[in-house]
Amino acid sequence: MASAVLDGRARAVPTAIKILVAGGFGVGKTTLVSTASEIMPLHTEEVLTSAGEIADDLSGVEQKTSTTVTMDFGRITLADDLILYLFGTPGQDRFWFLWDELALGALGAVVLADTRRLDDCFPSIDYFERRNTPFVVAVNCFYGEQPFQVDAVRRALALDDNVPVVMCDVRDRRSGRDVLITLIEHVRALTLGSAHTPVSSPS
Ligand SMILES: Nc1nc2c(ncn2[C@@H]2O[C@H](COP(=O)(O)OP(=O)(O)OP(=O)(O)O)[C@@H](O)[C@H]2O)c(=O)[nH]1
Ligand SMILES: [Mg+2]
């Protein structure tokens, strides 16, 4: 291929991987895709109206004014040879019908959790467990606070020992990137059956 060889030097064609960013309503999925993305992210936000007050629990995110109605989309280059395409799911239950389409071809998932509403991430965890999709649980530390330890979250969610649980602040680019690196290393370990293959940074 013409683009694969430049000036006589073979150039690696990057691997592109589809990743889902899931979790309960208002847990920070759109924020994670936005801060991590190196391109202008695509959002499908609609304004929350009083009609949704019964269905949408805004406790802890009272300042939230909009919700994702289809998906978020972003891209991040994790290494010279590794690009992730990020697909954020909608958080409201009534958009579950979109999940199978969004999950098609995804190699892994981030399940965001908020320890004030931990139950909200069970449907996402169940979904990925049923599909055998590798996932990590990332606890979004709202206001930088996180009263629970990783082990306590793991026990509360009844996670297998091999499922990584990490703390993060989705408003911080580096933190979001670290979550994605943890996921890729987890996917690699499961695929290769090996313990740990670090992701090398782009030069
Ligand atoms: N203080 C604080 N606010 C946050 C944090 N993460 C997200 N937020 C806010 O919480 C709200 C929810 O964030 P979103 O990123 O829209 O959440 P979402 O999971 O995409 O929401 P849905 O698509 O409606 O399910 C927004 O108002 C964010 O600004 C955080 O770590 N700290
Ligand atoms: Mg959203």
Side-chain angles (χ1 to χ4, degrees):
M1 301 262 258
S3 60
V5 180
L6 293 177
D7 302 329
R9 287 176 295 137
R11 224 174 65 165
V13 177
T15 302
I17 293 179
K18 177 177 179 180
I19 297 297
L20 285 191
V21 178
F25 173 72
V27 76
K29 302 175 293 292
T30 298
T31 308
L32 173 60
V33 173
S34 299
T35 51
S37 182
E38 65 203 11
I39 57 168
M40 178 78 80
L42 167 80
H43 297 307
T44 57
E45 296 288 294
E46 288 294 340
V47 174
L48 285 166
T49 64
S50 55
E53 276 171 8
I54 310 164
D56 304 326
D57 179 7
L58 282 174
S59 48
V61 285
E62 290 82 3
Q63 76 282 27
K64 189 169 166 57
T65 56
S66 65
T67 187
T68 305
V69 292
T70 305
M71 59 179 259
D72 309 301
F73 176 74
R75 186 189 75 189
I76 177 171
T77 303
L78 273 194
D80 287 338
D81 58 351
L82 183 60
I83 295 172
L84 304 190
Y85 289 106
L86 306 175
F87 289 73
T89 61
Q92 293 176 312
D93 294 348
R94 58 179 170 277
F95 295 115
W96 264 108
F97 68 94
L98 290 169
W99 276 56
D100 286 345
E101 296 279 353
L102 281 175
L104 214 60
L107 278 200
V110 174
V111 176
L112 280 175
D114 177 350
T115 52
R116 299 168 302 180
R117 300 177 295 163
L118 206 52
D119 290 2
D120 290 1
C121 68
F122 276 122
S124 302
I125 289 174
D126 288 345
Y127 184 83
F128 296 123
E129 283 181 345
R130 274 202 314 275
R131 294 176 69 100
N132 283 324
T133 303
F135 66 93
V136 300
V137 173
V139 180
N140 187 15
C141 303
F142 278 78
Y143 303 103
E145 289 173 11
Q146 182 39 61
F148 300 98
Q149 301 296 312
V150 160
D151 283 346
V153 174
R154 178 186 300 287
R155 276 197 305 277
L157 294 176
L159 294 171
D160 281 351
D161 286 347
N162 76 332
V163 175
V165 179
V166 291
M167 300 294 172
C168 71
D169 182 338
V170 292
R171 297 163 302 172
D172 179 67
R173 184 174 165 77
R174 183 180 290 265
S175 178
R177 186 187 166 88
D178 286 348
V179 170
L180 295 166
I181 289 173
T182 302
L183 173 63
I184 294 306
E185 291 180 347
H186 180 51
V187 172
R188 277 190 181 167
L190 291 177
T191 310
L192 302 174
S194 64
H196 187 75
T197 316
V199 173
S200 55
S201 298
S203 49

